[in-house]
Amino acid sequence: MKGIAIFLVVLGHAIPDATSLNGISSELMRVLHSIIYSFHMPVFFFVAGYFSKFIGDNLVDNIVRRCKRLLLPYFFVGTIYFPFKLLLSQFANKPMELLDILKMPLGVNPDGELWFLYVLFFITIVVGIVIKNIHSIHLVISLIIYIIASLFIEVSVIRSLLLYQLYFTLGRYIHEKGLLDIFSFSIIKVLSTGLIFITSNIWLIVNHEVMMVPSLAAALSGIYLTYLTSIFWSKYSEQLYTVLVFLGCLSMEIYILSDIIKIPLRIILYSKLHLYYTTIIVCTIVPILLSILVSKWIKKSNLLSLLFFGISRS
């Protein structure tokens, strides 16, 4: 599931005018972008929640470990990314100003893609401290928080915290209650879930805005379809399954490095040569491959491995 999600992350980021004020110029890419963003990050939060646990025991040690894994790369990569973003600001969809570096502690990173690390850290800490044994009531409360955030919260970082905690909590609930087996693969489940996913995405695409009910339906059905797809490929395509597992195991490395690698490619292919679809293809494939290669080099140093990926061998 993480392998599928990280591929979609890179693909979504490869669309060169995705954050342009004028919107995505290609109708096909606009539809693809909308579909990807309807569920790929909920998948990550769901999986993170599935493998999370109560951290109240040994609280300080648990918080320190999560700071190393999530916040250290968030601040380090954002800091080294900042001067390059400032220098190349004329080519950026969202130009950078000098004082923007001070916004990092508030969740606004020069490398805007790193918001996930910041949000995941606080969701992990809050849910891990507040909930020891998860029950249905916690899901209900989580859904209420989601609804309130959807209707009333506009600050992006706070909104993300309050929205994505639902998928994180759901993942942990399904794990603790041992409910994953009831979501086994079947044609009826695929067709019914697929219908929900397609219908909700059509609604979002046609209306050109994010709406609570179709957004939630698209995210939940997308999570489920990603799981069913993973089950299918594990049984019927060993090669593809192996590749996706490999990408999933390196999802942090690809997530951290791919956007940095993508920038010069996008400047040359899109800003200078105006090769729209070539940019999308190259900025999807090359950053993934180079991220894997560069991460191997970085991991040769314990210090760099810690700073970039939050991985400590001690």
Side-chain angles (χ1 to χ4, degrees), residues 2-13:
K2 288 173 66 179
I4 294 170
I6 195 60
F7 175 80
L8 293 176
V9 165
V10 179
L11 176 58
H13 292 169

Side-chain angles (χ1 to χ4, degrees), residues 101-214:
I101 190 70
L102 301 178
K103 298 179 181 178
M104 269 205 291
L106 301 177
V108 182
N109 199 292
D111 184 354
E113 320 303 347
L114 297 184
W115 67 269
F116 170 74
L117 302 179
Y118 186 90
V119 170
L120 180 60
F121 170 79
F122 286 103
I123 290 177
T124 302
I125 295 300
V126 172
V127 175
I129 292 174
V130 172
I131 305 176
K132 184 172 185 177
N133 297 302
I134 195 164
H135 301 290
S136 299
I137 186 63
H138 296 117
L139 277 184
V140 174
I141 294 172
S142 183
L143 179 59
I144 292 173
I145 293 172
Y146 177 94
I147 294 172
I148 292 173
S150 296
L151 296 176
F152 303 112
I153 305 298
E154 296 184 1
V155 179
S156 60
V157 175
I158 298 176
R159 181 181 173 87
S160 295
L161 282 166
L162 298 180
L163 291 179
Y164 287 112
Q165 55 77 32
L166 174 61
Y167 310 113
F168 184 92
T169 305
L170 177 64
R172 184 174 164 190
Y173 177 82
I174 288 177
H175 189 187
E176 289 191 11
K177 300 303 179 183
L179 300 177
L180 202 59
D181 289 341
I182 69 174
F183 299 117
S184 57
F185 182 88
S186 75
I187 296 299
I188 294 177
K189 291 176 182 178
V190 171
L191 292 177
S192 58
T193 308
L195 180 61
I196 295 172
F197 182 74
I198 292 171
T199 303
S200 56
N201 267 288
I202 290 175
W203 186 279
L204 293 171
I205 292 167
V206 170
N207 288 278
H208 299 278
E209 60 179 317
V210 177
M211 290 172 283
M212 183 179 64
V213 174

Side-chain angles (χ1 to χ4, degrees), residues 9-26 28-30 32-33 37 90-94 113 259 262-284:
V9 165
V10 179
L11 176 58
H13 292 169
I15 300 174
D17 52 352
T19 57
S20 170
L21 294 176
N22 297 322
I24 298 175
S25 57
S26 166
L28 174 62
M29 290 298 105
R30 186 181 74 84
L32 178 62
H33 184 269
Y37 275 73
Q90 60 177 311
F91 300 108
N93 290 321
K94 294 181 179 179
E113 320 303 347
D259 192 58
K262 174 198 70 181
I263 290 177
L265 297 173
R266 187 176 69 185
I267 291 174
I268 296 171
L269 295 173
Y270 181 66
S271 299
K272 295 296 185 181
L273 300 178
H274 308 292
L275 301 174
Y276 188 83
Y277 288 102
T278 301
T279 301
I280 295 172
I281 295 171
V282 172
C283 287
T284 298

Side-chain angles (χ1 to χ4, degrees), residues 19-89:
T19 57
S20 170
L21 294 176
N22 297 322
I24 298 175
S25 57
S26 166
E27 186 64 22
L28 174 62
M29 290 298 105
R30 186 181 74 84
V31 171
L32 178 62
H33 184 269
S34 180
I35 292 173
I36 289 173
Y37 275 73
S38 73
F39 77 99
H40 73 320
M41 296 314 295
V43 168
F44 272 119
F45 282 100
F46 174 85
V47 173
Y50 186 85
F51 290 106
S52 69
K53 59 184 179 180
F54 176 67
I55 65 170
D57 300 327
N58 301 317
L59 180 61
V60 175
D61 289 342
N62 283 320
I63 291 178
V64 169
R65 278 200 295 270
R66 281 156 179 77
C67 283
K68 286 182 179 179
R69 179 61 169 159
L70 299 172
L71 289 190
L72 186 56
Y74 170 84
F75 282 105
F76 177 75
V77 175
T79 300
I80 64 173
Y81 184 95
F82 177 73
F84 297 99
K85 183 68 175 285
L86 193 63
L87 182 65
L88 300 173
S89 193

